[in-house]
């Protein structure tokens, strides 16, 4: 939940950086980790991202073509 995420981040992100961090996460979501076409191969968080249920468009196309 958003509250759990906030609780987990509070000890990690210094208060002076909260506003910057919020904007950085929003920008990241709009530019890299988009809902419809995530750019996982170029994502700087690729190594630590759980990618739960995410399939790249290229993977979806391959699976559809194999049917």
């Amino acid at each position: 939940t958003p509250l759990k995420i906030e609780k987990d981040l509070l000890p990690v992100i210094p208060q002076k950086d909260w506003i910057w961090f919020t904007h950085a996460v929003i920008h990241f979501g709009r530019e890299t980790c988009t809902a419809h076409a995530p750019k996982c191969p170029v994502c700087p968080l690729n190594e630590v991202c759980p990618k739960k249920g995410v399939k790249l468009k290229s993977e979806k196309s391959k699976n559809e073509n194999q049917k």
Side-chain angles (χ1 to χ4, degrees):
T1 67
L3 290 176
K4 180 179 179 341
I5 294 168
E6 180 180 351
K7 183 181 172 187
D8 291 346
L9 288 175
L10 285 176
V12 181
I13 308 298
Q15 186 173 1
K16 68 179 181 61
D17 294 331
W18 287 356
I19 292 173
W20 170 86
F21 184 76
T22 299
H23 291 287
V25 169
I26 291 168
H27 179 75
F28 177 76
R30 289 179 179 166
E31 297 296 321
T32 305
C33 194
T34 62
H36 297 289
K39 299 173 185 163
C40 298
V42 297
C43 178
L45 301 175
N46 201 11
E47 296 288 323
V48 296
C49 178
K51 301 177 204 143
K52 292 184 179 179
V54 173
K55 288 193 176 188
L56 301 176
K57 281 187 174 183
S58 60
E59 292 174 2
K60 289 179 185 177
S61 297
K62 286 178 188 175
N63 291 339
E64 289 172 2
N65 290 336
Q66 292 176 353
K67 290 181 180 179

